[in-house]
Amino acid sequence: MADPASSDPQRTGDLDRDNTLLQAAAFAEHLQRSGVAFLPRANPDRVAEFKQRFAPSIPIAPATEKKAAVEQVAEEKILPKPPESRPESRPESRPESRPEFQSTSIRGEAAKRYPCEARPVSQRTAELDTLASTVAACTKCPELVHCRTQTVFGEGDPQARFVFFGEGPGADEDRTGRPFVGKAGQLLDKMIVACKLTRDEVYILNTVKCRPPGNRNPEPEEIENCRPFFESQLEIIRPQYIVCLGAVGTQALLRSKLPIGKLRGKFHRYFDSKVVATYHPAYLLRNPAAKKAAWADLQMMLKDAGISLR
Ligand code: URA
């Protein structure tokens, strides 16, 4: 059926305006949550009212374009953006495991806030640098320390609105010290580009920072040893959205034992961040039929974030 909006210039103009306003509101909300000082403090009631007013009427993309985008990802026709250069070296020390956190459905009990106030970007960069040095010196997991070439801390924008949270380094990551640079990383790059984002405006990290030998899954104890590191990274960055890639990362972050098929398709909560669970790119490479579901998960997030794919 033809989209009535497409033949009505007045309505098309209204939708464009609404879309722009929604994106501006969502972005302003993110900046304020990130502690940007030049904006007035957000009034959550006004933001909610604004979203309520505009969101229901705004199509993220006309059905035909959505379908085309799904097919593009499914067929891997989206060109990958080349990986960005690695941020320079990072100095020393950082933290203990975070106190408690909340992992609920987004509709559940009101989420707890991140324990600390948002930091300015310079402080975030310094804290991440210090934490990376602590990670590089970590010897908690004897087998991993023995096998690793180097630790893989994570990289990206310390104020990222979107964080992608993987499982652990593979051979390419162990060699280069950067997350998601192998085959799975190339697919992740395509997924990021399909979201109208770039690799350097998101942040990418893993659950464990050392490569498990033979690409085995990290052991529960290894995940717990790394927990203070990934929890601190997330607390420093405090993204609006965390995309968990695969069961290992999702279950670790949400402290859930449910399979990924049960966790995907809805929002969860990690402190102030909304969590989207989806399939790991390595799984998608082996099971291309699951790309459609993964793209639906990302679209759910983009719609919530006010990012139009039109
Ligand atoms: N798989 C992951 O989970 N992380 C990486 O960095 C690479 C592959």
Side-chain angles (χ1 to χ4, degrees):
M1 197 173 32
D3 176 3
S6 63
S7 56
D8 178 351
Q10 169 70 43
R11 178 148 163 69
T12 304
D14 287 351
L15 288 175
D16 283 347
R17 187 208 56 205
D18 287 358
N19 235 337
T20 306
L21 286 171
L22 178 65
Q23 287 178 48
F27 188 57
E29 187 187 359
H30 165 67
L31 290 176
Q32 288 165 341
R33 287 158 50 91
S34 304
V36 172
F38 60 81
L39 285 166
R41 207 87 204 124
N43 175 342
D45 293 338
R46 288 288 293 146
V47 173
E49 183 192 316
F50 190 87
K51 278 191 165 169
Q52 186 62 31
R53 188 169 149 217
F54 288 106
S57 67
I58 296 171
I60 289 304
T64 49
E65 284 178 37
K66 266 192 205 164
K67 188 157 179 287
V70 169
E71 283 163 3
Q72 245 185 328
V73 168
E75 291 164 25
E76 290 187 41
K77 284 188 181 152
I78 297 164
L79 289 175
K81 186 178 187 296
E84 300 295 327
S85 60
R86 180 182 171 71
E88 300 110 53
S89 68
R90 302 147 159 139
E92 53 173 332
S93 126
R94 172 114 194 165
E96 295 305 305
S97 190
R98 302 262 56 83
E100 352 91 80
F101 73 100
Q102 186 124 356
S103 145
T104 65
S105 151
I106 202 100
R107 293 175 195 283
E109 192 190 331
K112 289 202 172 65
R113 316 308 306 249
Y114 279 102
C116 298
E117 281 298 299
R119 285 84 137 169
V121 65
S122 57
Q123 195 179 337
R124 292 177 197 220
T125 304
E127 289 187 12
L128 288 169
D129 285 352
T130 302
L131 183 58
S133 292
T134 307
V135 168
C138 179
T139 55
K140 281 186 198 161
C141 307
E143 193 187 1
L144 301 193
V145 175
H146 181 71
C147 294
R148 78 182 179 212
T149 306
Q150 57 194 311
T151 53
V152 179
F153 180 69
E155 65 184 25
D157 183 350
Q159 303 193 98
R161 190 178 178 202
F162 300 91
V163 157
F164 289 82
F165 185 67
E167 177 181 320
D172 294 311
E173 292 75 20
D174 177 68
R175 188 174 42 77
T176 58
R178 301 181 56 211
F180 281 99
V181 291
K183 289 233 165 64
Q186 285 163 19
L187 180 54
L188 178 62
D189 287 345
K190 291 177 187 175
M191 291 161 75
I192 291 170
V193 170
C195 291
K196 295 244 180 124
L197 298 166
T198 62
R199 194 166 157 124
D200 55 354
E201 69 184 302
V202 304
Y203 195 94
I204 304 175
L205 75 161
N206 281 309
T207 310
V208 295
K209 313 302 184 194
C210 299
R211 181 189 180 206
N215 288 347
R216 66 159 169 77
N217 281 357
E219 298 290 347
E221 192 186 338
E222 293 164 349
I223 292 174
E224 289 317 304
N225 285 342
C226 253
R227 180 176 294 283
F229 299 142
F230 69 72
E231 288 188 349
S232 296
Q233 282 174 291
L234 293 171
E235 188 197 323
I236 293 166
I237 301 163
R238 49 200 315 130
Q240 196 175 355
Y241 297 93
I242 301 171
V243 181
C244 286
L245 302 164
V248 169
T250 309
Q251 292 174 347
L253 190 75
L254 300 179
R255 293 185 193 267
S256 170
K257 290 198 160 52
L258 291 174
I260 191 73
K262 285 246 162 17
L263 292 166
R264 61 160 295 274
K266 55 178 175 259
F267 286 109
H268 303 268
R269 181 60 94 165
Y270 179 81
F271 290 112
D272 295 337
S273 303
K274 291 179 181 180
V275 177
V276 178
T278 195
Y279 295 112
H280 193 285
Y283 174 83
L284 296 176
L285 289 172
R286 295 191 304 271
N287 301 278
K291 285 180 180 173
K292 196 165 179 176
W295 181 231
D297 295 332
L298 295 177
Q299 282 180 304
M300 175 185 79
M301 174 181 77
L302 296 174
K303 180 170 185 180
D304 191 77
I307 294 183
S308 166
L309 297 174
R310 283 200 297 163

